[in-house]
C-alpha cells in the first residue's frame, strides 16, 4: 500500500497557484518525498523531491512541514498543460527499490 | 537527467500472439530496470524488477512464464507478453533508478499501450 494520502481531485483556475497537499505521517528519517505527475497516456514525469528542507525548481516548489508528516506541492502559475494526476511518493531514493504509486490527485486546470 | 525510451509506443495484436516491448536507457547504464503496468483509471503497479545478467524478480501475482523479461545489456530490457489475451491490454511503463539522492528516484519511459483483440 502507498504510504501517502492525497485528495482525489482538485480544480485550479488558469494562472493561479495550485497547492496540492500530501500526508505521509509514517515517513522514516531517511526517506525523501518525491512528486511525479502523469499526463494522460504518458509516462510519469519527475517534478521535485526533498528530504526536510523546502525545495524550489523551475517547475514547482515543495514545502515540507517541520515534523515531515505532510507536504505541499505548489505550482505557482498553473496552465492548462498542468492538468494531470499528481503523485506524492516517499522513497529512500537512488536504487532503493521501486516507487509505490497511490491514486494521486487529479488536478484540473480550468480557463 | 537520464532518458528512457520504449518501443513500440502502441501495439495492437490478436489474442494468442506474443508481443515484445523494449525499454532502452539512452544515456545511462542501468543494471536495474523496473516494469510497471497501469490499467485504465488506475495507478501504476510494479510487475517486476529486471536485473542485468540475472533473472528478473517478479511481484506477487505476476506470472513469470507469461511476462518474460530479458535484460541482456546495461541499456536494454525487454518485456515479452506471451500468448496475450484481452485482459493483458494495458499501459506498460519501464523505469531506471538513479544512482544519486540528488536526482529523481527513477526515470520513466513514455509507456507502451497494448491492446489485445
Amino acid at each position: 500500500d502507498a504510504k501517502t494520502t492525497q485528495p482525489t481531485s482538485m480544480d485550479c483556475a488558469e494562472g493561479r497557484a495550485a497547492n496540492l497537499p500530501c500526508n505521509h505521517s509514517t515517513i522514516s528519517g531517511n526517506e525523501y518525498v518525491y512528486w511525479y505527475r502523469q499526463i494522460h497516456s504518458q509516462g510519469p514525469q519527475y517534478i521535485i523531491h526533498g528530504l526536510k528542507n523546502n525545495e524550489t525548481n523551475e517547475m514547482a516548489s515543495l514545502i515540507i512541514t517541520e515534523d515531515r508528516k505532510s507536504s505541499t506541492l505548489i505550482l505557482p502559475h498553473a496552465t492548462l498543460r498542468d492538468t494531470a494526476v499528481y503523485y506524492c511518493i516517499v522513497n529512500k531514493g537512488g536504487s532503493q527499490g521501486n516507487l509505490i504509486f497511490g491514486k494521486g490527485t487529479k488536478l484540473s486546470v480550468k480557463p | 537527467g537520464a532518458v528512457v525510451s520504449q518501443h513500440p509506443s502502441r501495439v495492437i495484436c490478436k489474442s494468442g500472439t506474443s508481443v515484445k516491448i523494449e525499454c532502452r536507457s539512452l544515456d545511462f547504464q542501468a543494471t536495474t530496470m523496473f516494469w510497471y503496468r497501469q490499467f485504465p483509471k488506475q495507478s501504476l503497479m510494479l510487475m517486476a524488477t529486471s536485473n542485468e545478467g540475472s533473472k528478473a524478480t517478479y511481484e506477487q501475482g505476476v506470472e513469470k512464464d507469461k511476462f518474460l523479461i530479458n535484460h541482456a545489456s546495461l541499456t536494454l530490457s525487454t518485456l515479452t507478453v506471451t500468448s496475450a489475451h484481452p485482459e493483458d491490454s494495458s499501459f506498460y511503463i519501464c523505469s531506471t533508478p538513479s544512482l544519486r539522492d540528488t536526482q529523481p528516484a527513477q526515470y520513466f519511459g513514455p509507456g507502451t499501450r497494448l491492446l489485445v483483440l
Side-chain angles (χ1 to χ4, degrees), chain A residues 32 34 36 38 40-46 49 87 91-104, chain B residues 34 36 38 42-46 59 91 93 97-111 113:
Chain A
Y32 292 80
Y34 290 89
Y36 282 80
Q38 188 178 25
H40 182 63
S41 293
Q42 297 183 23
Q45 177 190 21
Y46 166 78
H49 75 286
Y87 297 99
N91 186 271
K92 294 179 182 178
S95 60
Q96 302 296 322
N98 64 293
L99 297 177
I100 299 175
F101 285 79
K103 296 183 178 180
Chain B
F34 299 106
Y36 294 82
Q38 186 176 32
Q42 295 187 22
S43 191
L44 282 77
M45 293 295 293
L46 181 71
E59 295 299 301
F91 193 48
I93 306 168
S98 68
L99 298 178
R100 300 176 183 174
D101 292 346
T102 54
Q103 296 174 339
Q106 292 180 20
Y107 299 97
F108 287 87
R113 177 77 58 189

Side-chain angles (χ1 to χ4, degrees), chain B residues 51-100:
Chain B
N51 303 298
E52 189 268 335
S54 64
K55 292 182 178 180
T57 304
Y58 291 82
E59 295 299 301
Q60 190 174 9
V62 178
E63 300 175 56
K64 62 179 181 180
D65 294 330
K66 181 172 181 63
F67 299 97
L68 301 179
I69 291 174
N70 183 280
H71 194 151
S73 77
L74 290 173
T75 59
L76 174 64
S77 175
T78 61
L79 169 68
T80 301
V81 183
T82 62
S83 187
H85 291 285
E87 59 264 30
D88 298 321
S89 299
S90 188
F91 193 48
Y92 292 86
I93 306 168
C94 68
S95 73
T96 64
S98 68
L99 298 178
R100 300 176 183 174

Side-chain angles (χ1 to χ4, degrees), chain A residues 5 10 21 23 51 57-58 65 69 72:
Chain A
T5 56
M10 294 181 65
N23 287 323
L51 185 61
N57 62 21
E58 64 278 4
T65 58
K69 292 185 177 182
T72 301

